[in-house]
């Protein structure tokens, strides 16, 4: 059975992880193989590589809403991660097939929260939450997020 085709399992996982997530259209997932370049000397996913996985998924997901690097550059804005918390249950091993999920919470005036999780089959490997702010290249100041996200996730 393909993880991509198992919508019920994915929805159950997300609900178990953080119950206050937005309900509509803000989820993104991708299968990820843990490559040798992502591993530490014990052949496990390294902590820096886990952060990289999350950052890459956030970028791919943001591109769907035109708020990835290209969309933000057109607006003369950029994203800043102000806080990130991760809880690791187990690190996957080299060449393991995993599924990375990410979703965003409705934004408030000055920040947005993004949740993420990594699974190997039915096993939750780690979850996390990050807090993001948007800044202007021109002024170096925070920019209000009103109107940035599609209506169904604001």
């Amino acid at each position: 059975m393909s993880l991509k085709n198992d919508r019920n399992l994915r929805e159950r996982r997300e609900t178990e992880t953080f119950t206050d997530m937005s309900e509509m259209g803000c989820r993104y997932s991708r299968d990820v193989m843990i490559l040798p370049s992502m591993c530490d000397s014990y052949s496990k996913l390294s902590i820096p590589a886990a952060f990289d996985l999350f950052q890459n998924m956030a970028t791919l997901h943001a591109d769907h809403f035109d708020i990835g690097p290209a969309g933000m550059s057109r607006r003369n804005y950029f994203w800043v991660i102000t806080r990130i918390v991760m809880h690791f249950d187990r690190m996957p091993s080299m060449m393991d097939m995993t599924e990375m999920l990410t979703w965003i919470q409705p934004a408030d005036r000055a920040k947005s929260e993004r949740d993420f999780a990594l699974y190997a089959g039915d096993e939750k490997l780690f979850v996390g939450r990050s807090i993001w702010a948007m800044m202007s290249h021109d002024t170096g100041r925070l920019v209000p997020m009103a109107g940035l996200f599609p209506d169904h996730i604001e």
Side-chain angles (χ1 to χ4, degrees), residues 37-40 44-56 84 86 88 91 126:
S37 61
M38 304 161 77
C39 293
D40 60 19
K44 300 287 187 182
L45 179 67
S46 70
I47 291 174
F51 281 92
D52 287 345
L53 268 179
F54 165 65
Q55 181 68 31
N56 293 337
I84 188 166
M86 296 176 81
F88 297 94
M91 293 307 247
F126 67 78

Side-chain angles (χ1 to χ4, degrees), residues 88-128:
F88 297 94
D89 292 325
R90 179 178 75 79
M91 293 307 247
S93 296
M94 187 184 305
M95 306 309 288
D96 281 354
M97 282 303 300
T98 63
E99 181 183 22
M100 184 88 180
L101 295 96
T102 187
W103 57 99
I104 52 180
Q105 302 293 334
D108 66 19
R109 185 176 185 283
K111 68 175 174 52
S112 175
E113 294 180 3
R114 175 176 286 279
D115 298 330
F116 53 94
L118 185 73
Y119 283 84
D122 290 337
E123 182 186 6
K124 177 180 62 176
L125 303 177
F126 67 78
V127 296

